[in-house]
Amino acid sequence: MLIPKTSVIPPGGFHFIDTSSGVPVRIEGDSADDVANKLLLFRTRNGLPPGNPLEEYRKWLCESWPHFCIDSSPPAVPSGSGVAHISSRVATWMADFIRNYRGSDLVLQSEADRRAGICAECPRNVLYNATGCGSCLESISRLSFIYRASRVTKYDDHLRACMTTAQHNGSAVWASKLPPADPSTLPSHCWRRP
């Protein structure tokens, strides 16, 4: 897997040509992360699928100027776990949620508070943002903020991510529709159980 060298500035500065809207748009920034953040913001503001801006930027840079990149292997996942790091799982869940469910109505404040109270006390409500890709974590926060439209529950300070479903609990508690979850994997007290 090729990744850009951190000490290299590409010709023309840090930039990316985004064609997701059907028209080429040049996105510029002060760093690779800045370009990825601005690309995500551009797509979000224009109702386009968020994709994975940082990964797309890296791939584009390494295909355009391979000598600016180094070969690297992905970090090893502990043997037998078969599970990606929770921050990666939450980023994937959030992108899928925004792409497929963002048009659904939000539940009432009382229902969001009820759900949030259950998640806040659940042992499967785990910290996801202590480690992981900075740009990915920023994307999760930004997409959640945009989806919730500044709405909060009284438990927001205690909401993390669900270890079982990889959902971003702060967003999920507001959703009337969510990506499916296998009920048999959910604890008996979970608000997502039928």
Side-chain angles (χ1 to χ4, degrees), residues 1-4 55 58-59 62-63 66 69-72:
M1 176 172 142
L2 292 175
I3 59 169
E55 187 57 38
R58 288 177 175 166
K59 182 179 178 197
C62 291
E63 286 175 357
C69 299
I70 56 173
D71 195 9
S72 173

Side-chain angles (χ1 to χ4, degrees), residues 111-173:
E111 177 62 10
D113 283 337
R114 182 188 75 81
R115 292 173 175 185
I118 294 169
C119 287
E121 297 296 321
C122 183
R124 296 185 188 186
N125 177 45
V126 296
L127 189 64
Y128 69 92
N129 54 357
T131 61
C133 158
S135 181
C136 298
L137 297 176
E138 177 62 30
S139 294
I140 293 168
S141 294
R142 182 178 291 121
L143 290 172
S144 176
F145 178 79
I146 291 167
Y147 170 72
R148 292 179 292 115
S150 302
R151 291 175 178 87
V152 295
T153 72
K154 55 187 173 183
Y155 300 100
D156 273 12
D157 290 343
H158 304 288
L159 295 180
R160 309 290 185 250
C162 178
M163 183 171 49
T164 303
T165 64
Q167 73 187 19
H168 181 265
N169 288 331
S171 299
V173 298

Side-chain angles (χ1 to χ4, degrees), residues 89-127:
R89 293 176 57 220
V90 173
T92 300
W93 182 91
M94 195 72 199
D96 177 55
F97 174 69
I98 292 295
R99 183 173 35 255
N100 297 306
Y101 300 92
R102 76 169 165 209
S104 61
D105 294 331
L106 276 67
V107 298
L108 296 174
Q109 180 75 47
S110 58
E111 177 62 10
D113 283 337
R114 182 188 75 81
R115 292 173 175 185
I118 294 169
C119 287
E121 297 296 321
C122 183
R124 296 185 188 186
N125 177 45
V126 296
L127 189 64

